[in-house]
Amino acid sequence: MVENLRLPAHLAVENVADDDRASLFAVAEGIDDVVGDWLARCGGDGRLIVTLASHDFAAGLLVMIRSLRKVSDIPVLVLKIGSWRFEHEAPQVAAIEVPPLRRSGVETRPDLPHLIVTLSKLWAFSITTPKRIAYIDADCLILRPIKGLLDGDGFAAAPDLLLHYRLRAFNTGVFSFTPSADLRRRLFERLPELSVADGDQSVLNAFFEEWRQLPLGLNFLRSQALVRALAQDRHLRILHFTPGKPWVDGPSHPRDHALAPLEDLWTAHLSDAEYREVKRQWHQDVDAVEQNLTAWASRSAGLYRDQIAEGLKQTRRRQRLWLAGLALLSALQTLVLVFLVLRG
Ligand code: GLC
Ligand code: MN
């Protein structure tokens, strides 16, 4: 059911650096044209929901759209990173492969590989034809109607109480804005000077100094301790699995065990076959972790063996020194004794 949209061949480039103005604007306009045509074909009321996914977020994307379709029929556009096939049973869904948007000269941080991928979220600002756009991360689960998300004007987002509890900053897992060619130009022109320390989140926080606060329930971060108490609360509309994804095994924090019921809310949207597939992935992850542990343990066992052997060697050397000292001392004592006897 997913409509696969394509950028014209000359724009389907490998990636776009944020200081390459010509390519940035050409690709942005290309995305706008293709998406504009699709929206004109599918009708709708001028509202659009955009999301972003690389292949490792496919399970998240499946569930996000499935849960969204229980409460909303607004068209959904998937910005796809990489060429992989995405299928979904939901109507009014289109996908378009976009080139990864990268910060010129900045390589991916090996500890946070997703940060640079998420920069491509900014392609959402290429689109200018809808009246209002809401962006929703593929690791979100829609629990209740998202009323209020697409209302109003300007840029709107919910505060990030996890990363930025000292600052007043918003989380970029869910936000809405009124698109325009002017907004696109202003954002993309300033892009090279905006910090990418936190991926798209720091870019957008630096750019939108004025923002309207959405209710926390429209982007409730899983890691916020309160989420447990509020999970059943009627104010909780969108649950954002950050950090820690329900389709990836392995707790990232001891507190995660306490949050396990939230994972059940997510898996409830899977068919039996999909659930088995997710479990198979979990088992694969666990196997990989176990293999790492075994390799690590045997390496460090070897290390400890060497350290123990070295320690023993040093202890024996020290023992020998003591014994030699003692022998010397008793020899001296004997000499003194002999001397005293002979004199006496
Ligand atoms: C956080 C946000 C996510 C964003 C990422 C990178 O994980 O939850 O939405 O894409 O930071 O900025
Ligand atoms: Mn997210």
Side-chain angles (χ1 to χ4, degrees), residues 114-115 118 121 135 137 139 160 163 171-174 198-202 221 240 242 245:
H114 73 288
L115 283 187
T118 66
K121 191 186 291 189
Y135 175 88
D137 263 0
D139 55 359
D160 191 322
L163 279 181
N171 180 275
T172 52
V174 178
D198 261 339
D200 63 285
Q201 183 146 317
S202 43
L221 309 190
H240 184 182
T242 185
K245 318 292 171 206

